[in-house]
Amino acid sequence: MRAVVQRVERASVSIEGELVGSIGRGYLILLGVGQEDTTAEADKLWGKLSVLRINDDENGKTNLALADVDGEVLVVSQFTLFANCKKGRRPSFTEAAPPAQANELYEYFVELVRRDVPRVATGRFGANMQVELVNDGPFTVILDTDEL
């Protein structure tokens, strides 16, 4: 699994002009699921991310986890995180999980987040979404379960 995590002041996702999810201060998580991923990777990813200290304390140091700042989470599926651009000019997405598997693991990941975070919003799997955010910092990290 791969995640692009952006610390945000606020974020939202819309589909065809309709707002389907929004959060205040917290994390926007763009989540990609690979062919070899299982619930173990989802557990590993959320286990790391839930305690990652990427929020500023009173001294401006990144010492606080999401729960320490009562953060919210917006999770948006993004298979393009598995784009392979080594050949030609058109990315290949063969490393991304098939839609049924990806959706199942996306939903599993969202449930993990909901166990720990009071306010969780999502996009809609497979939809053409418009994501808006105000990145705080900007602060963005990329996590890959193959490297955790």
Side-chain angles (χ1 to χ4, degrees), residues 84-118:
N84 183 328
C85 299
K86 290 181 182 176
K87 294 182 181 178
R89 297 180 298 179
R90 182 176 179 183
S92 168
F93 299 104
T94 59
E95 295 175 29
Q101 174 191 356
N103 187 34
E104 183 178 320
L105 288 172
Y106 167 76
E107 293 294 338
Y108 178 81
F109 182 84
V110 168
E111 285 307 312
L112 291 176
V113 178
R114 285 191 169 131
R115 291 179 193 168
D116 296 332
V117 179

Side-chain angles (χ1 to χ4, degrees), residues 49-109:
L49 184 52
S50 66
V51 297
L52 200 61
R53 298 184 319 173
I54 60 173
N55 293 281
D56 294 344
D57 64 15
E58 64 279 355
N59 298 315
K61 301 287 186 189
T62 52
N63 281 326
L64 303 177
L66 184 67
D68 298 327
V69 298
D70 296 320
E72 302 176 352
V73 175
L74 172 59
V75 185
V76 176
S77 64
Q78 189 166 352
F79 77 94
T80 61
L81 293 178
F82 278 89
N84 183 328
C85 299
K86 290 181 182 176
K87 294 182 181 178
R89 297 180 298 179
R90 182 176 179 183
S92 168
F93 299 104
T94 59
E95 295 175 29
Q101 174 191 356
N103 187 34
E104 183 178 320
L105 288 172
Y106 167 76
E107 293 294 338
Y108 178 81
F109 182 84

Side-chain angles (χ1 to χ4, degrees), residues 1-2 32-42 82 93-98 101-102 105 144-146:
M1 272 187 173
R2 294 179 182 160
V33 179
Q35 283 197 16
E36 304 299 319
D37 290 337
T38 66
T39 57
E41 281 75 26
F82 278 89
F93 299 104
T94 59
E95 295 175 29
Q101 174 191 356
L105 288 172
D144 188 322
T145 53
D146 288 344

Side-chain angles (χ1 to χ4, degrees), residues 10-14 19-23 28 74 76 130-133:
R10 65 184 176 277
S12 64
V13 60
S14 298
L19 180 68
V20 295
S22 66
I23 62 166
L28 166 61
L74 172 59
V76 176
Q130 292 70 52
V131 179
E132 295 184 59
L133 69 135

